[in-house]
Amino acid sequence: MYLVTAREMRELDRYTIEEIGLPGIVLMENAGRAVAEEIFLRFPKPKTATVLAGAGNNGGDGWVVARHLLDRGWKVHMWFIGSKEKMSADAGVFYQVCCRYAPVWHYSDGQKERLFRHLAEATVVVDALLGTGTRGGLRPPMDEVVRRLNQTPSPFVVSVDLPSGVDADTGAIENEAVRADLTVTFQYPKWGHYLRPGANVRGKLKVAEIGIFSGHEKTEREPRAQLNTPCLWQEYAQPRQEWAHKGTYGHLHVIGGAGGMLGAVVMAGEAAYRMGAGYVTLTVPESERLALAAKVTQQLIWSWPGQEVFDAGSADVWKEKRERFSAVAVGPGLGRFAGEEQWLGQLMEEVEVPLVLDADALNILAAHPSLFRRRKKGAVTILTPHPGEMARLIGSSTAEVEVQRHQVARQLALKTDMFVVLKGRYTVIAFPDGKQVLNPTGSPALAKAGSGDLLTGMIGSLLAQRIPAEKAVPMAVYLHGKAGEIAGPSSHGVMVDDLLRAIARVRSTTVPY
Ligand SMILES: NC(=O)C1=CN([C@@H]2O[C@H](COP(=O)(O)OP(=O)(O)OC[C@H]3O[C@@H](n4cnc5c(N)ncnc54)[C@H](O)[C@@H]3O)[C@@H](O)[C@H]2O)[C@H](O)CC1
Ligand SMILES: [K+]
C-alpha cells in the first residue's frame, strides 16, 4: 500500500478527474459514504451527530456524511465554519443538498454557545474542517472550535482524511489539532498519519477506497513510499520447507561485545537463530572469550587476538575466514577503541557480503565520515540508527531528526548508497534508490536495552539466508515490531527473552494476508 504526500494525493486526484474523467463529486460522495459506513459500523442505531464542515473539499466530504446520517434517521447538527465565498464548487453541491434536508448553522460569535451545546450533546462529532489543504496553524475561529471540541469529553470523534490541524506530510501540529478516536483517510495513508505528533491524535486509522485511478503504478506518477505489510516480502514469509544442509540457511557473523556489553552480541546471535540462520558466529575481544563461552551454547565463538578492546591489527583475522560468512553485523556492544577508524575501514572494504552497521559502528562512522567511501560500489550495506545515532551521522540534533524522519533517512540513503533503517515509533526504511517503506508495527515493549541488538540480528539473519536486502530489511523490521506487539502492550514486565520467544513465533507464523 502506498504512503503519499499531500501533493502526490492531489496529483492522483487530478489525474483521476482530468485524465480519467471521473468527476470530483463522485470521489467526494464515495469519501463521505466511506466515513458514514465506518460510523454505522460502530453505531448501528440512529444517534445524534454534530458535523463540523470547512469551506474546502474536506468540508464537502462532511456534507456527504451528514446526508447519509440523516438518511439513516440520525439527528444531525450541521455547522459550516468558514466563508461561503471560499467554498469549493464540489463542496457547494453537497452543501446545497444538506440545506434542503435540515437547517445548516453558520458559525459566528453569536452562535458560540449553540455550537458548544451541540458538541456536548452529540454521540458522534464529524471533523470535516480541514484535510490535506491545511496551511499552517488553525486560523480563527477554527482554532477555538477545535479547542472546545477537544475539551468535550463525551463524543466519539471521527476525523475526515486527517485530524484537522495536522500537517499531511509531516504530522506537525502548529497550534491546535482535533484529537480523533477514528480517522478515515482516502485511497492511501499519508505520512502525517504516521509521524508524530499527528500519529498520536489520529486514533484508529481506516483507509477507504474511493475510486482513485490505480493504474499509476506503471507510470512516473508512482508514489515513492510504501507502508510495510507482509505483501511486500510475502515470498519469503514462509519458512523454506526443503530439508537442506544448515549451510543453506546461511552463516551470520556478529562482531561486538566489548567490555561489559557481551549481552548485546548474544542477543543479536539468538535473534539471528530464531529468524532461521543456519550458523551464527559471535566475535568478541579475546578478553571476553571465556565469559562468552559461559553464556552461549549454540553460537560459534570467535575472538580477535588483542587486548581488552579490538585493536587495529585484529581485522587481519578476518582475511582467511571471510568466505564462510554470508552476512556480517558489526556493532552490538562494540564500544569505541584506539585504531577504530582503520579497523572498521578495513572491515568495510574486506566484507563483500551484506553488512549491517549498528550502535558504535555507526558512531565510528559518524566520527570518521570518510569511512563511507570504503565500501565497494554495489556492496549491500544497512545502517540501523536510532534518532540519536542518526543525528550524529548527519551532524544534526535528535529533535531535528525527529521532525523530518523520512526526509533525513532518504537523504542519507541516497548520499551513501546504503539502506537506512531509522528506528523509532514507526521505523522508516530508506532504500539506496530513494524508495521508502514506513513500518506500522511496534509497541512500547521494544523501548528497552537490547531491542536494537535483536533487530540487528534479525536483519543480519535474513541477509545471511541470501534474501535480497529490499525484502530482508522490511521483513525483519516488520517482524521485530510484531514481536514487540506480541510480547506486550507496554514495556512493563517485558524482558528481552520475551521478545526472543515472540520473534520465534512471528517468524514461523507470519503469512501474507
Ligand atoms: N482524492 C482524495 O483524497 C479526495 C479528497 N477529498 C477531500 O479533499 C480534501 C482536500 O480538499 P482541499 O479543498 O484541497 O483542502 P481542505 O478542505 O483540506 O482545506 C482547504 C480550506 O481550508 C482553508 N484553510 C487552509 N488552512 C487553514 C488553516 N490553517 N486554518 C483555517 N483554514 C484553513 C483554506 O482556505 C480552504 O478554504 C481532502 O483532505 C479530502 O478530505 C475529496 O473530497 C475526495 C477526493
Ligand atoms: K478533517
Side-chain angles (χ1 to χ4, degrees):
M1 179 183 283
Y2 287 114
L3 192 72
V4 296
T5 61
R7 189 190 57 73
E8 286 173 329
M9 195 69 242
R10 270 194 297 278
E11 169 51 23
L12 293 169
D13 217 21
R14 182 203 65 77
Y15 189 80
T16 303
I17 296 167
E18 292 174 16
E19 319 266 336
I20 301 295
L22 191 64
I25 55 169
V26 171
L27 296 174
M28 192 171 280
E29 171 64 26
N30 294 344
R33 172 79 186 250
V35 177
E37 293 299 343
E38 288 298 332
I39 294 172
F40 296 141
L41 272 179
R42 290 161 176 83
F43 302 93
K45 292 197 174 52
K47 303 278 182 187
T48 299
T50 295
V51 175
L52 307 174
N57 286 338
N58 193 253
D61 299 346
W63 301 123
V64 175
V65 181
R67 190 187 89 245
H68 283 286
L69 293 172
L70 288 163
D71 284 343
R72 286 279 184 101
W74 282 55
K75 181 182 176 191
V76 183
H77 300 300
M78 295 183 279
W79 284 85
F80 174 54
I81 293 152
S83 47
K84 285 263 185 59
E85 54 282 359
K86 283 179 102 180
M87 189 180 275
S88 71
D90 288 352
V93 169
F94 293 107
Y95 166 75
Q96 293 303 333
V97 167
C98 282
C99 289
R100 296 183 188 108
Y101 268 75
V104 174
W105 302 99
H106 192 164
Y107 185 79
S108 63
D109 279 351
Q111 298 286 359
K112 226 180 250 186
E113 287 319 309
R114 183 192 302 274
L115 171 61
F116 296 162
R117 206 172 48 251
H118 287 171
L119 291 179
E121 69 182 55
T123 305
V124 172
V125 170
V126 176
D127 156 32
L129 294 169
L130 287 176
T132 52
T134 307
R135 298 285 171 270
L138 292 184
R139 296 194 291 268
M142 268 190 196
D143 54 345
E144 180 185 39
V145 171
V146 168
R147 238 189 319 275
R148 188 63 181 239
L149 170 59
N150 287 339
Q151 290 159 6
T152 312
S154 49
F156 182 88
V157 178
V158 182
S159 279
V160 175
D161 206 19
L162 278 158
S164 298
V166 170
D167 183 291
D169 294 348
T170 64
I173 297 171
E174 206 154 307
N175 53 1
E176 295 294 334
V178 170
R179 273 199 300 282
D181 298 291
L182 167 69
T183 295
V184 183
T185 192
F186 309 121
Q187 208 72 27
Y188 302 115
K190 282 73 186 177
W191 281 102
H193 291 127
Y194 285 96
L195 296 170
R196 288 194 301 278
N200 297 337
V201 299
R202 55 132 157 113
K204 186 161 176 50
L205 181 67
K206 295 291 284 180
V207 182
E209 304 245 337
I210 60 170
I212 293 288
F213 176 66
S214 59
H216 55 268
E217 279 90 346
K218 296 180 254 329
T219 67
E220 72 287 347
R221 266 173 214 80
E222 181 175 349
R224 238 180 358 227
Q226 303 238 14
L227 208 56
N228 196 6
T229 65
C231 296
L232 283 188
W233 30 265
Q234 59 188 358
E235 61 273 42
Y236 298 98
Q238 302 277 4
R240 271 186 291 211
Q241 301 313 322
E242 83 268 11
W243 188 320
H245 176 268
K246 53 182 170 296
T248 316
Y249 298 95
H251 190 159
L252 174 66
H253 187 190
V254 182
I255 304 174
M261 296 185 280
L262 208 47
V265 284
V266 174
M267 287 186 284
E270 293 237 343
Y273 268 129
R274 287 168 191 270
M275 287 295 280
Y279 279 102
V280 174
T281 292
L282 306 181
T283 294
V284 295
E286 188 75 28
S287 58
E288 303 296 322
R289 187 190 177 87
L290 287 180
L292 181 59
K295 280 175 91 75
V296 298
T297 47
Q298 73 269 38
Q299 278 96 334
L300 309 178
I301 296 174
W302 264 23
S303 58
W304 296 120
Q307 324 313 324
E308 182 59 29
V309 293
F310 294 89
D311 62 29
S314 55
D316 294 342
V317 168
W318 170 256
K319 275 206 180 19
E320 73 278 8
K321 300 180 181 170
R322 65 184 174 192
E323 73 288 347
R324 292 185 184 189
F325 305 114
S326 48
V328 179
V330 182
L334 181 68
R336 305 294 298 271
F337 47 94
E340 62 187 20
E341 179 182 7
Q342 188 206 346
W343 180 84
L344 185 59
Q346 190 176 350
L347 203 124
M348 287 176 73
E349 216 161 75
E350 299 280 345
V351 171
E352 290 163 358
V353 293
L355 173 64
V356 182
L357 297 175
D358 183 30
D360 274 321
L362 297 173
N363 293 327
I364 296 171
L365 267 180
H368 312 285
S370 64
L371 287 173
F372 277 109
R373 291 191 292 280
R374 298 289 293 274
R375 278 300 268 164
K376 290 197 177 69
K377 189 100 188 84
V380 173
T381 315
I382 322 292
L383 308 178
T384 59
H386 59 52
E389 290 156 346
M390 186 67 180
R392 282 189 286 278
L393 280 170
I394 61 173
S396 177
S397 69
T398 304
E400 267 302 300
V401 165
E402 284 297 68
V403 294
Q404 43 180 346
R405 287 171 57 81
H406 55 309
Q407 285 100 329
V408 295
R410 185 166 184 272
Q411 283 152 16
L412 184 63
L414 286 170
K415 186 175 145 208
T416 60
D417 195 28
M418 294 178 175
F419 287 81
V420 176
V421 177
L422 177 53
K423 296 181 284 196
R425 182 173 174 214
Y426 303 124
T427 292
V428 177
I429 304 165
F431 288 24
D433 66 0
K435 276 206 171 49
Q436 291 185 286
V437 171
L438 185 124
N439 185 62
T441 62
S443 122
L446 292 171
K448 57 177 69 248
S451 165
D453 302 319
L454 297 179
L455 177 61
T456 296
M458 293 169 77
I459 296 174
S461 177
L462 295 183
L463 293 169
Q465 296 172 57
R466 300 175 186 83
I467 295 176
E470 58 275 7
K471 305 284 184 178
V473 177
M475 182 170 161
V477 169
Y478 183 93
L479 295 179
H480 181 255
K482 269 290 175 215
E485 291 170 13
I486 288 172
S490 79
S491 61
H492 305 151
V494 173
M495 295 290 289
V496 172
D497 281 349
D498 304 314
L499 291 171
L500 280 165
R501 272 191 293 280
I503 289 169
R505 226 174 99 196
V506 294
R507 177 64 177 106
S508 50
T509 55
T510 296
V511 289
Y513 42 71

